[in-house]
Coordinates of all heavy atoms in Angstrom, one line a residue:
Chain A
T97 N 22.9 -15.8 4.3 CA 22.7 -17.3 4.4 C 24.0 -18.1 4.4 O 24.0 -19.1 5.0 CB 21.8 -17.8 3.3 OG1 22.4 -17.3 2.0 CG2 20.4 -17.3 3.4
H98 N 25.0 -17.6 3.8 CA 26.2 -18.4 3.7 C 27.5 -17.8 4.2 O 28.6 -18.3 3.9 CB 26.4 -18.8 2.2 CG 25.4 -19.8 1.7 ND1 24.2 -19.4 1.1 CD2 25.3 -21.1 1.9 CE1 23.5 -20.4 0.8 NE2 24.1 -21.5 1.3
M99 N 27.4 -16.7 4.9 CA 28.6 -16.1 5.5 C 28.4 -15.9 7.0 O 27.3 -15.8 7.5 CB 28.9 -14.7 4.9 CG 29.4 -14.8 3.5 SD 29.5 -13.1 2.8 CE 31.0 -13.2 1.8
K100 N 29.5 -15.9 7.7 CA 29.4 -15.7 9.1 C 30.0 -14.3 9.4 O 31.1 -14.0 9.0 CB 30.2 -16.7 9.9 CG 29.5 -18.1 10.0 CD 30.2 -18.9 11.1 CE 29.6 -20.3 11.1 NZ 30.5 -21.4 10.7
F101 N 29.3 -13.4 10.1 CA 29.9 -12.2 10.5 C 29.1 -11.6 11.7 O 27.9 -12.0 12.0 CB 30.0 -11.2 9.4 CG 28.7 -10.9 8.7 CD1 28.0 -9.6 9.0 CD2 28.1 -11.7 7.8 CE1 26.8 -9.3 8.3 CE2 26.9 -11.4 7.2 CZ 26.3 -10.2 7.5
R102 N 29.7 -10.7 12.4 CA 29.2 -10.3 13.7 C 27.9 -9.5 13.6 O 27.0 -9.7 14.4 CB 30.3 -9.4 14.4 CG 30.3 -9.7 15.9 CD 31.4 -8.9 16.6 NE 32.7 -9.5 16.4 CZ 33.8 -8.8 16.5 NH1 33.8 -7.5 16.9 NH2 35.0 -9.3 16.3
L103 N 27.8 -8.7 12.6 CA 26.6 -7.8 12.5 C 25.4 -8.5 11.8 O 24.4 -7.9 11.6 CB 26.9 -6.6 11.7 CG 27.8 -5.5 12.4 CD1 28.2 -4.4 11.5 CD2 27.0 -5.0 13.6
K104 N 25.5 -9.8 11.5 CA 24.5 -10.5 10.8 C 23.1 -10.4 11.4 O 22.2 -10.0 10.7 CB 24.9 -12.0 10.7 CG 24.1 -12.8 9.7 CD 24.9 -14.1 9.5 CE 24.0 -15.2 9.1 NZ 24.8 -16.4 8.7
G105 N 23.1 -10.6 12.7 CA 21.8 -10.5 13.4 C 21.2 -9.1 13.3 O 20.0 -8.9 13.1
V106 N 22.1 -8.1 13.5 CA 21.6 -6.7 13.4 C 21.1 -6.4 12.0 O 20.0 -5.9 11.9 CB 22.8 -5.8 13.7 CG1 22.4 -4.3 13.7 CG2 23.4 -6.1 15.1
F107 N 21.8 -6.8 11.0 CA 21.3 -6.5 9.6 C 20.0 -7.2 9.4 O 19.1 -6.6 8.8 CB 22.4 -7.0 8.6 CG 23.5 -6.1 8.4 CD1 23.8 -5.1 9.4 CD2 24.4 -6.2 7.4 CE1 24.8 -4.2 9.2 CE2 25.5 -5.3 7.2 CZ 25.7 -4.3 8.1
A108 N 19.9 -8.5 9.7 CA 18.7 -9.2 9.5 C 17.5 -8.5 10.3 O 16.4 -8.3 9.7 CB 18.8 -10.6 10.0

Side-chain angles (χ1 to χ4, degrees):
Chain A
T97 52
H98 289 97
M99 284 172 143
K100 280 195 188 116
F101 58 105
R102 218 177 285 160
L103 285 174
K104 194 163 153 175
V106 180
F107 280 15

